[in-house]
Structure formats: structure tokens, C-alpha cells
Amino acid sequence: MRKLQNRKIENEGVVIPLSSLGNGTSAFIIGFADKKQNIFLRLLELGFITGSRITACGKAPLGNPLIFIIHGGKLALRKEEAECVLVKIV
């Protein structure tokens, strides 16, 4: 998967991939970088909707999967899936 670089959106701050979010950091989902149909639909079904607040809360010992809190529940995502979600830090 291609490496995403930090992108700046006019008047909205820095946009980073969800996989770059540090432990305990909260952010809002602002979109998706890679709309591969199967990953995109799975993320939507899991509640990854634009405007949702998400918090990074841990990762496995080898760094994959990553653990997040979204809509009051904990959810583990592969790093490759988390790279597809673009967020803006709160």
C-alpha cells in the first residue's frame, strides 16, 4: 500500500492517517484515502463514518493490529486498514 503523507486542508489543520494516531489521542474522521470497495464497506459497517470521534488506545506487541475506541466500543484494525482512514486531531 502506498505511504500516505501528511496533507494540509485549507483552514482545517493537518490531516493524517488513523494509523499515525498516538496512544490516547482523539481525532475526528474526515474521509478515506483509499476506497477499495471491500475495505471501504467494512469500515462503514463498523461505524467509521465521517465526523465520528475516534481515540487510539493501544496496539499489539508487534504493532499490528491497532486498537481504537469508536462509538463507545473497542475495535482492532489492521494497520493497512487504519492507513485508509484520514483523521484530524482534536
Side-chain angles (χ1 to χ4, degrees):
M1 181 165 284
R2 72 185 196 288
K3 182 150 177 116
L4 297 174
Q5 297 177 359
N6 291 352
R7 292 190 277 176
K8 181 132 177 133
I9 294 180
E10 190 173 319
N11 300 326
E12 289 199 16
V14 177
V15 176
I16 62 170
L18 183 59
S19 60
S20 298
L21 211 57
N23 269 354
T25 307
S26 293
F28 286 104
I29 297 172
I30 62 155
F32 300 90
D34 194 359
K35 293 193 178 182
K36 289 184 181 174
Q37 196 66 19
N38 56 345
I39 293 174
F40 179 66
L41 290 176
R42 179 171 182 265
L43 292 172
L44 287 177
E45 289 171 351
L46 292 171
F48 284 75
I49 301 165
T50 301
S52 296
R53 185 180 181 130
I54 190 164
T55 304
C57 66
K59 60 183 172 180
L62 297 176
N64 203 12
L66 306 170
I67 304 167
F68 302 97
I69 298 174
I70 185 167
H71 301 296
K74 287 188 178 180
L75 182 70
L77 279 183
R78 293 180 193 106
K79 195 169 188 175
E80 299 80 33
E81 294 169 334
E83 288 175 350
C84 296
V85 181
L86 298 176
V87 297
K88 184 178 106 177
I89 298 175
V90 175

